[in-house]
PDB file of all heavy atoms in Angstrom:
ATOM      1  N   ALA B 125      48.790 138.519 -19.031  1.00 84.00           N
ATOM      2  CA  ALA B 125      47.462 137.905 -18.849  1.00 84.00           C
ATOM      3  C   ALA B 125      47.542 136.462 -18.673  1.00 84.00           C
ATOM      4  O   ALA B 125      46.762 135.787 -17.913  1.00 84.00           O
ATOM      5  CB  ALA B 125      46.513 138.342 -19.897  1.00 84.00           C
ATOM      6  N   LEU B 126      48.655 135.825 -19.366  1.00 85.00           N
ATOM      7  CA  LEU B 126      48.735 134.366 -19.313  1.00 85.00           C
ATOM      8  C   LEU B 126      48.969 133.849 -17.823  1.00 85.00           C
ATOM      9  O   LEU B 126      48.493 132.782 -17.516  1.00 85.00           O
ATOM     10  CB  LEU B 126      50.028 133.960 -20.060  1.00 85.00           C
ATOM     11  CG  LEU B 126      49.873 134.022 -21.578  1.00 85.00           C
ATOM     12  CD1 LEU B 126      51.143 133.700 -22.266  1.00 85.00           C
ATOM     13  CD2 LEU B 126      48.828 132.928 -22.136  1.00 85.00           C
ATOM     14  N   GLY B 127      49.451 134.751 -16.937  1.00 85.00           N
ATOM     15  CA  GLY B 127      49.582 134.422 -15.581  1.00 85.00           C
ATOM     16  C   GLY B 127      48.363 134.195 -14.899  1.00 85.00           C
ATOM     17  O   GLY B 127      48.122 133.639 -13.751  1.00 85.00           O
ATOM     18  N   HIS B 128      47.165 134.757 -15.485  1.00 87.00           N
ATOM     19  CA  HIS B 128      45.906 134.685 -14.844  1.00 87.00           C
ATOM     20  C   HIS B 128      45.073 133.573 -15.406  1.00 87.00           C
ATOM     21  O   HIS B 128      43.848 133.364 -15.063  1.00 87.00           O
ATOM     22  CB  HIS B 128      45.132 135.976 -15.043  1.00 87.00           C
ATOM     23  CG  HIS B 128      45.812 137.159 -14.236  1.00 87.00           C
ATOM     24  ND1 HIS B 128      45.470 137.337 -12.897  1.00 87.00           N
ATOM     25  CD2 HIS B 128      46.811 137.958 -14.652  1.00 87.00           C
ATOM     26  CE1 HIS B 128      46.234 138.372 -12.543  1.00 87.00           C
ATOM     27  NE2 HIS B 128      47.112 138.761 -13.557  1.00 87.00           N
ATOM     28  N   ILE B 129      45.633 132.680 -16.359  1.00 90.00           N
ATOM     29  CA  ILE B 129      44.920 131.713 -17.129  1.00 90.00           C
ATOM     30  C   ILE B 129      45.231 130.464 -16.447  1.00 90.00           C
ATOM     31  O   ILE B 129      46.304 130.150 -16.103  1.00 90.00           O
ATOM     32  CB  ILE B 129      45.179 131.759 -18.640  1.00 90.00           C
ATOM     33  CG1 ILE B 129      44.598 133.087 -19.198  1.00 90.00           C
ATOM     34  CG2 ILE B 129      44.661 130.576 -19.336  1.00 90.00           C
ATOM     35  CD1 ILE B 129      45.097 133.379 -20.639  1.00 90.00           C
ATOM     36  N   HIS B 130      44.185 129.572 -16.316  1.00 92.00           N
ATOM     37  CA  HIS B 130      44.367 128.221 -15.754  1.00 92.00           C
ATOM     38  C   HIS B 130      45.507 127.549 -16.500  1.00 92.00           C
ATOM     39  O   HIS B 130      45.570 127.580 -17.694  1.00 92.00           O
ATOM     40  CB  HIS B 130      43.010 127.441 -15.807  1.00 92.00           C
ATOM     41  CG  HIS B 130      42.993 126.168 -15.119  1.00 92.00           C
ATOM     42  ND1 HIS B 130      43.663 125.096 -15.426  1.00 92.00           N
ATOM     43  CD2 HIS B 130      42.390 125.913 -13.843  1.00 92.00           C
ATOM     44  CE1 HIS B 130      43.518 124.074 -14.492  1.00 92.00           C
ATOM     45  NE2 HIS B 130      42.723 124.663 -13.521  1.00 92.00           N
ATOM     46  N   GLU B 131      46.388 126.878 -15.748  1.00 92.00           N
ATOM     47  CA  GLU B 131      47.524 126.215 -16.469  1.00 92.00           C
ATOM     48  C   GLU B 131      47.134 125.286 -17.478  1.00 92.00           C
ATOM     49  O   GLU B 131      47.874 124.998 -18.446  1.00 92.00           O
ATOM     50  CB  GLU B 131      48.380 125.582 -15.334  1.00 92.00           C
ATOM     51  CG  GLU B 131      47.739 124.461 -14.537  1.00 92.00           C
ATOM     52  CD  GLU B 131      48.699 123.785 -13.522  1.00 92.00           C
ATOM     53  OE1 GLU B 131      49.946 123.924 -13.726  1.00 92.00           O
ATOM     54  OE2 GLU B 131      48.191 123.192 -12.615  1.00 92.00           O
ATOM     55  N   ASP B 132      45.996 124.618 -17.339  1.00 92.00           N
ATOM     56  CA  ASP B 132      45.654 123.679 -18.358  1.00 92.00           C
ATOM     57  C   ASP B 132      45.199 124.346 -19.669  1.00 92.00           C
ATOM     58  O   ASP B 132      45.040 123.651 -20.675  1.00 92.00           O
ATOM     59  CB  ASP B 132      44.342 122.840 -17.982  1.00 92.00           C
ATOM     60  CG  ASP B 132      44.807 121.822 -16.818  1.00 92.00           C
ATOM     61  OD1 ASP B 132      46.027 121.635 -16.642  1.00 92.00           O
ATOM     62  OD2 ASP B 132      43.928 121.225 -16.157  1.00 92.00           O
ATOM     63  N   ASP B 133      44.882 125.666 -19.560  1.00 92.00           N
ATOM     64  CA  ASP B 133      44.359 126.316 -20.763  1.00 92.00           C
ATOM     65  C   ASP B 133      45.381 127.302 -21.334  1.00 92.00           C
ATOM     66  O   ASP B 133      45.174 127.743 -22.503  1.00 92.00           O
ATOM     67  CB  ASP B 133      43.184 127.240 -20.330  1.00 92.00           C
ATOM     68  CG  ASP B 133      42.017 126.354 -19.748  1.00 92.00           C
ATOM     69  OD1 ASP B 133      41.978 125.230 -20.128  1.00 92.00           O
ATOM     70  OD2 ASP B 133      41.271 126.871 -19.057  1.00 92.00           O
ATOM     71  N   VAL B 134      46.547 127.396 -20.647  1.00 92.00           N
ATOM     72  CA  VAL B 134      47.628 128.344 -21.119  1.00 92.00           C
ATOM     73  C   VAL B 134      48.105 128.079 -22.624  1.00 92.00           C
ATOM     74  O   VAL B 134      48.184 128.878 -23.450  1.00 92.00           O
ATOM     75  CB  VAL B 134      48.841 128.362 -20.107  1.00 92.00           C
ATOM     76  CG1 VAL B 134      50.021 129.054 -20.765  1.00 92.00           C
ATOM     77  CG2 VAL B 134      48.381 129.085 -18.830  1.00 92.00           C
ATOM     78  N   GLN B 135      48.394 126.704 -22.638  1.00 92.00           N
ATOM     79  CA  GLN B 135      48.994 126.300 -23.942  1.00 92.00           C
ATOM     80  C   GLN B 135      48.021 126.630 -25.126  1.00 92.00           C
ATOM     81  O   GLN B 135      48.486 127.173 -26.101  1.00 92.00           O
ATOM     82  CB  GLN B 135      49.180 124.867 -23.869  1.00 92.00           C
ATOM     83  CG  GLN B 135      50.158 124.229 -25.005  1.00 92.00           C
ATOM     84  CD  GLN B 135      51.506 124.791 -24.913  1.00 92.00           C
ATOM     85  OE1 GLN B 135      52.083 124.999 -23.854  1.00 92.00           O
ATOM     86  NE2 GLN B 135      52.028 125.137 -26.073  1.00 92.00           N
ATOM     87  N   THR B 136      46.779 126.279 -24.971  1.00 92.00           N
ATOM     88  CA  THR B 136      45.790 126.576 -26.022  1.00 92.00           C
ATOM     89  C   THR B 136      45.625 128.059 -26.342  1.00 92.00           C
ATOM     90  O   THR B 136      45.673 128.529 -27.416  1.00 92.00           O
ATOM     91  CB  THR B 136      44.448 126.018 -25.594  1.00 92.00           C
ATOM     92  OG1 THR B 136      44.582 124.823 -24.849  1.00 92.00           O
ATOM     93  CG2 THR B 136      43.464 125.735 -26.806  1.00 92.00           C
ATOM     94  N   THR B 137      45.598 128.811 -25.240  1.00 92.00           N
ATOM     95  CA  THR B 137      45.396 130.183 -25.371  1.00 92.00           C
ATOM     96  C   THR B 137      46.558 130.853 -26.143  1.00 92.00           C
ATOM     97  O   THR B 137      46.373 131.570 -27.066  1.00 92.00           O
ATOM     98  CB  THR B 137      45.275 130.909 -23.925  1.00 92.00           C
ATOM     99  OG1 THR B 137      44.295 130.240 -23.186  1.00 92.00           O
ATOM    100  CG2 THR B 137      44.871 132.375 -24.067  1.00 92.00           C
ATOM    101  N   ARG B 138      47.807 130.375 -25.725  1.00 91.00           N
ATOM    102  CA  ARG B 138      48.981 130.908 -26.467  1.00 91.00           C
ATOM    103  C   ARG B 138      48.947 130.641 -27.849  1.00 91.00           C
ATOM    104  O   ARG B 138      49.292 131.528 -28.673  1.00 91.00           O
ATOM    105  CB  ARG B 138      50.216 130.399 -25.681  1.00 91.00           C
ATOM    106  CG  ARG B 138      51.437 131.191 -25.890  1.00 91.00           C
ATOM    107  CD  ARG B 138      52.754 130.410 -25.722  1.00 91.00           C
ATOM    108  NE  ARG B 138      52.788 129.837 -24.313  1.00 91.00           N
ATOM    109  CZ  ARG B 138      53.443 130.567 -23.348  1.00 91.00           C
ATOM    110  NH1 ARG B 138      54.105 131.661 -23.540  1.00 91.00           N
ATOM    111  NH2 ARG B 138      53.490 130.021 -22.145  1.00 91.00           N
ATOM    112  N   SER B 139      48.582 129.420 -28.221  1.00 92.00           N
ATOM    113  CA  SER B 139      48.731 129.038 -29.606  1.00 92.00           C
ATOM    114  C   SER B 139      47.623 129.774 -30.450  1.00 92.00           C
ATOM    115  O   SER B 139      47.862 130.118 -31.603  1.00 92.00           O
ATOM    116  CB  SER B 139      48.633 127.491 -29.852  1.00 92.00           C
ATOM    117  OG  SER B 139      47.472 127.114 -29.392  1.00 92.00           O
ATOM    118  N   ILE B 140      46.493 129.916 -29.823  1.00 92.00           N
ATOM    119  CA  ILE B 140      45.404 130.682 -30.572  1.00 92.00           C
ATOM    120  C   ILE B 140      45.764 132.152 -30.815  1.00 92.00           C
ATOM    121  O   ILE B 140      45.635 132.721 -31.833  1.00 92.00           O
ATOM    122  CB  ILE B 140      44.090 130.498 -29.796  1.00 92.00           C
ATOM    123  CG1 ILE B 140      43.481 129.062 -29.987  1.00 92.00           C
ATOM    124  CG2 ILE B 140      42.943 131.479 -30.314  1.00 92.00           C
ATOM    125  CD1 ILE B 140      42.307 128.797 -29.150  1.00 92.00           C
ATOM    126  N   TRP B 141      46.343 132.734 -29.662  1.00 90.00           N
ATOM    127  CA  TRP B 141      46.829 134.071 -29.881  1.00 90.00           C
ATOM    128  C   TRP B 141      47.884 134.173 -31.019  1.00 90.00           C
ATOM    129  O   TRP B 141      47.823 135.169 -31.862  1.00 90.00           O
ATOM    130  CB  TRP B 141      47.466 134.584 -28.637  1.00 90.00           C
ATOM    131  CG  TRP B 141      46.461 135.071 -27.534  1.00 90.00           C
ATOM    132  CD1 TRP B 141      45.136 135.119 -27.745  1.00 90.00           C
ATOM    133  CD2 TRP B 141      46.735 135.455 -26.261  1.00 90.00           C
ATOM    134  NE1 TRP B 141      44.517 135.667 -26.606  1.00 90.00           N
ATOM    135  CE2 TRP B 141      45.487 135.751 -25.661  1.00 90.00           C
ATOM    136  CE3 TRP B 141      47.898 135.520 -25.461  1.00 90.00           C
ATOM    137  CZ2 TRP B 141      45.441 136.233 -24.361  1.00 90.00           C
ATOM    138  CZ3 TRP B 141      47.729 136.028 -24.080  1.00 90.00           C
ATOM    139  CH2 TRP B 141      46.497 136.346 -23.554  1.00 90.00           C
ATOM    140  N   ARG B 142      48.776 133.224 -31.010  1.00 89.00           N
ATOM    141  CA  ARG B 142      49.849 133.310 -31.990  1.00 89.00           C
ATOM    142  C   ARG B 142      49.375 133.247 -33.348  1.00 89.00           C
ATOM    143  O   ARG B 142      49.709 133.987 -34.272  1.00 89.00           O
ATOM    144  CB  ARG B 142      50.862 132.169 -31.819  1.00 89.00           C
ATOM    145  CG  ARG B 142      51.931 132.554 -30.687  1.00 89.00           C
ATOM    146  CD  ARG B 142      52.964 131.414 -30.693  1.00 89.00           C
ATOM    147  NE  ARG B 142      53.808 131.637 -29.510  1.00 89.00           N
ATOM    148  CZ  ARG B 142      54.424 130.686 -28.867  1.00 89.00           C
ATOM    149  NH1 ARG B 142      54.144 129.409 -29.151  1.00 89.00           N
ATOM    150  NH2 ARG B 142      55.145 130.960 -27.845  1.00 89.00           N
ATOM    151  N   ARG B 143      48.413 132.291 -33.598  1.00 92.00           N
ATOM    152  CA  ARG B 143      47.793 132.101 -35.008  1.00 92.00           C
ATOM    153  C   ARG B 143      47.003 133.394 -35.317  1.00 92.00           C
ATOM    154  O   ARG B 143      47.196 133.847 -36.457  1.00 92.00           O
ATOM    155  CB  ARG B 143      47.013 130.869 -35.000  1.00 92.00           C
ATOM    156  CG  ARG B 143      46.750 130.451 -36.317  1.00 92.00           C
ATOM    157  CD  ARG B 143      45.970 129.097 -36.473  1.00 92.00           C
ATOM    158  NE  ARG B 143      44.708 129.059 -35.965  1.00 92.00           N
ATOM    159  CZ  ARG B 143      44.386 128.206 -34.975  1.00 92.00           C
ATOM    160  NH1 ARG B 143      45.162 127.260 -34.520  1.00 92.00           N
ATOM    161  NH2 ARG B 143      43.122 128.242 -34.437  1.00 92.00           N
ATOM    162  N   ALA B 144      46.313 133.900 -34.318  1.00 91.00           N
ATOM    163  CA  ALA B 144      45.542 135.129 -34.687  1.00 91.00           C
ATOM    164  C   ALA B 144      46.455 136.339 -35.117  1.00 91.00           C
ATOM    165  O   ALA B 144      46.148 137.053 -36.023  1.00 91.00           O
ATOM    166  CB  ALA B 144      44.594 135.507 -33.440  1.00 91.00           C
ATOM    167  N   ARG B 145      47.447 136.434 -34.380  1.00 89.00           N
ATOM    168  CA  ARG B 145      48.581 137.561 -34.647  1.00 89.00           C
ATOM    169  C   ARG B 145      49.097 137.317 -36.006  1.00 89.00           C
ATOM    170  O   ARG B 145      49.218 138.259 -36.693  1.00 89.00           O
ATOM    171  CB  ARG B 145      49.637 137.514 -33.543  1.00 89.00           C
ATOM    172  CG  ARG B 145      49.229 138.378 -32.360  1.00 89.00           C
ATOM    173  CD  ARG B 145      50.427 138.437 -31.361  1.00 89.00           C
ATOM    174  NE  ARG B 145      51.507 139.204 -32.010  1.00 89.00           N
ATOM    175  CZ  ARG B 145      52.747 139.190 -31.478  1.00 89.00           C
ATOM    176  NH1 ARG B 145      52.967 138.512 -30.303  1.00 89.00           N
ATOM    177  NH2 ARG B 145      53.775 139.868 -31.980  1.00 89.00           N
ATOM    178  N   LYS B 146      49.448 136.053 -36.243  1.00 90.00           N
ATOM    179  CA  LYS B 146      50.126 135.764 -37.400  1.00 90.00           C
ATOM    180  C   LYS B 146      49.200 135.959 -38.603  1.00 90.00           C
ATOM    181  O   LYS B 146      49.544 136.560 -39.699  1.00 90.00           O
ATOM    182  CB  LYS B 146      50.506 134.225 -37.444  1.00 90.00           C
ATOM    183  CG  LYS B 146      51.545 133.908 -38.565  1.00 90.00           C
ATOM    184  CD  LYS B 146      51.996 132.403 -38.452  1.00 90.00           C
ATOM    185  CE  LYS B 146      52.585 131.902 -39.581  1.00 90.00           C
ATOM    186  NZ  LYS B 146      52.702 130.485 -39.501  1.00 90.00           N
ATOM    187  N   GLU B 147      47.883 135.461 -38.411  1.00 91.00           N
ATOM    188  CA  GLU B 147      47.032 135.598 -39.566  1.00 91.00           C
ATOM    189  C   GLU B 147      46.232 136.929 -39.606  1.00 91.00           C
ATOM    190  O   GLU B 147      45.423 137.228 -40.454  1.00 91.00           O
ATOM    191  CB  GLU B 147      46.040 134.382 -39.466  1.00 91.00           C
ATOM    192  CG  GLU B 147      46.616 133.010 -39.717  1.00 91.00           C
ATOM    193  CD  GLU B 147      45.696 131.871 -39.526  1.00 91.00           C
ATOM    194  OE1 GLU B 147      44.623 132.115 -39.003  1.00 91.00           O
ATOM    195  OE2 GLU B 147      46.194 130.740 -39.596  1.00 91.00           O
ATOM    196  N   ARG B 148      46.442 137.621 -38.465  1.00 91.00           N
ATOM    197  CA  ARG B 148      45.729 138.846 -38.315  1.00 91.00           C
ATOM    198  C   ARG B 148      44.206 138.722 -38.423  1.00 91.00           C
ATOM    199  O   ARG B 148      43.595 139.368 -39.215  1.00 91.00           O
ATOM    200  CB  ARG B 148      46.250 140.017 -39.358  1.00 91.00           C
ATOM    201  CG  ARG B 148      47.694 140.401 -39.073  1.00 91.00           C
ATOM    202  CD  ARG B 148      48.243 141.213 -40.205  1.00 91.00           C
ATOM    203  NE  ARG B 148      49.083 140.349 -41.122  1.00 91.00           N
ATOM    204  CZ  ARG B 148      49.554 140.678 -42.288  1.00 91.00           C
ATOM    205  NH1 ARG B 148      49.336 141.885 -42.716  1.00 91.00           N
ATOM    206  NH2 ARG B 148      50.222 139.828 -42.903  1.00 91.00           N
ATOM    207  N   LYS B 149      43.721 137.750 -37.791  1.00 92.00           N
ATOM    208  CA  LYS B 149      42.358 137.442 -37.788  1.00 92.00           C
ATOM    209  C   LYS B 149      41.753 137.370 -36.416  1.00 92.00           C
ATOM    210  O   LYS B 149      42.475 137.138 -35.416  1.00 92.00           O
ATOM    211  CB  LYS B 149      42.122 136.090 -38.468  1.00 92.00           C
ATOM    212  CG  LYS B 149      42.301 136.134 -39.883  1.00 92.00           C
ATOM    213  CD  LYS B 149      41.919 134.737 -40.505  1.00 92.00           C
ATOM    214  CE  LYS B 149      41.992 134.804 -42.076  1.00 92.00           C
ATOM    215  NZ  LYS B 149      41.982 133.564 -42.699  1.00 92.00           N
ATOM    216  N   PRO B 150      40.578 137.657 -36.217  1.00 94.00           N
ATOM    217  CA  PRO B 150      39.888 137.567 -34.975  1.00 94.00           C
ATOM    218  C   PRO B 150      39.913 136.215 -34.369  1.00 94.00           C
ATOM    219  O   PRO B 150      40.118 135.223 -35.112  1.00 94.00           O
ATOM    220  CB  PRO B 150      38.343 137.984 -35.177  1.00 94.00           C
ATOM    221  CG  PRO B 150      38.298 138.452 -36.613  1.00 94.00           C
ATOM    222  CD  PRO B 150      39.421 137.905 -37.286  1.00 94.00           C
TER     223      PRO B 150
END
Side-chain angles (χ1 to χ4, degrees):
Chain B
L126 286 172
H128 295 269
I129 291 166
H130 192 284
E131 60 179 338
D132 289 351
D133 301 334
V134 168
Q135 195 62 39
T136 323
T137 307
R138 200 199 299 266
S139 65
I140 286 174
W141 277 354
R142 275 188 188 144
R143 197 169 63 235
R145 272 183 67 191
K146 192 176 164 193
E147 295 174 358
R148 289 169 265 173
K149 283 184 177 166

